[in-house]
Amino acid sequence: MSQTVIAIDGPAASGKGTVSKAISEKLQFNYLDTGKLYRAIGAQYLEGRPPIDAAQSLNISDLNKYDLQKPEIAQAASEIALIPEVRAALLEFQRNFSKKMPGAVLDGRDIGTIVCPNAKIKIFLTASLKARAKRRYVELYKHDGKISFETILEQIKERDKRDQTRSSSPMVAASDAKIFDTSALSIKEAVDKVFDYIQTKI
Ligand code: C5P
């Protein structure tokens, strides 16, 4: 089998991380959650490091140095992701990863459009704002019982807006991406649907 790239894009809490990981395991492909790269730079930015500098010297070990799920790191990631030089510095890392054998699944916001425009399979996962905020709330509530649903909803709304309206690599479905709405789907249903589609393309 020739090397295959699967690009999975979509907004926060659309299910793309869970689906991408499951697909990579089923196919025994390498998996990169590109949001982690932006989060690792966001974490360093919160510590006072200039984000372009952090992006230019990003090391894979940086991804394990922080609790990248923290909401404040997600917000910082969304802010530094607006900087064209930060995005440019991360391109090579992501493209090199996409060449790994026997194949690679990358998830993010601009994989199908900018990072791997020639990916064999492109998927865009989406879900309603309310469904996504609910998922994130359930996830974060386990770590912080004081967190409010309204705050999470507002944070996701803000991140969506920044991702969709930035001039450098805005989040948009590639014209040749297959779009799935996961609002009413369980994790298993979403994984099965996406996997069935991938099998028709491989
Ligand atoms: O996917 P995740 O929520 O972990 O991503 C964190 C932030 O990083 C997003 O809000 C988005 O602004 C940015 N990001 C991006 N391009 C990607 C992946 C993430 O701009 N390919």
Side-chain angles (χ1 to χ4, degrees):
M1 191 168 70
S2 64
Q3 198 265 4
T4 302
V5 178
I6 302 177
I8 304 188
D9 289 303
S14 56
K16 64 184 188 313
T18 313
V19 169
S20 302
K21 194 160 184 286
I23 298 293
S24 69
E25 283 166 5
K26 278 175 182 276
L27 295 171
Q28 303 267 291
F29 277 13
N30 302 284
Y31 168 53
L32 180 64
D33 168 359
T34 65
K36 278 191 173 175
L37 308 179
Y38 290 89
R39 284 173 185 253
I41 294 160
Q44 294 178 60
Y45 168 61
L46 290 178
E47 287 178 343
R49 189 161 185 205
I52 297 175
D53 177 41
Q56 285 170 346
S57 51
L58 186 75
N59 197 295
I60 195 80
S61 64
D62 292 338
L63 305 185
N64 301 318
K65 278 191 200 149
Y66 306 91
D67 179 2
L68 297 180
Q69 288 314 313
K70 282 188 178 169
E72 58 269 33
I73 293 184
Q75 288 302 315
S78 155
E79 287 165 33
I80 58 87
L82 300 175
I83 306 169
E85 290 86 347
V86 165
R87 306 199 71 85
L90 296 181
L91 257 189
E92 196 185 328
F93 182 92
Q94 296 174 86
R95 286 189 177 149
N96 283 340
F97 189 93
S98 74
K99 293 182 190 135
K100 285 187 175 222
M101 293 298 285
V105 179
L106 286 85
D107 85 49
R109 304 289 190 289
D110 59 345
I111 310 300
T113 49
I114 305 291
V115 179
C116 302
N118 297 322
K120 187 166 177 183
I121 301 166
K122 296 183 187 177
I123 287 158
F124 192 87
L125 288 187
T126 185
S128 70
L129 175 65
K130 216 168 153 191
R132 292 187 289 124
K134 206 169 146 196
R135 285 176 194 160
R136 197 42 57 87
Y137 176 69
V138 169
E139 201 179 297
L140 293 174
Y141 188 80
K142 288 182 214 149
H143 306 286
D144 177 2
K146 285 194 240 74
I147 207 141
S148 100
F149 175 77
E150 285 68 30
T151 307
I152 292 178
L153 190 121
E154 281 312 311
Q155 284 174 346
I156 291 186
K157 214 183 204 175
E158 218 180 279
R159 281 171 63 193
D160 282 355
K161 193 170 168 210
R162 270 201 290 266
D163 282 337
Q164 286 160 342
T165 58
R166 66 174 171 240
S167 53
S168 177
S169 308
M171 175 178 69
V172 63
S175 57
D176 49 350
K178 171 83 175 164
I179 300 175
F180 292 90
D181 188 323
T182 67
S183 305
L185 302 180
S186 67
I187 290 172
K188 184 175 183 313
E189 286 167 336
V191 171
D192 288 348
K193 272 195 172 213
V194 172
F195 191 60
D196 287 348
Y197 171 71
I198 289 174
Q199 281 188 310
T200 66
K201 304 288 275 183
I202 278 186

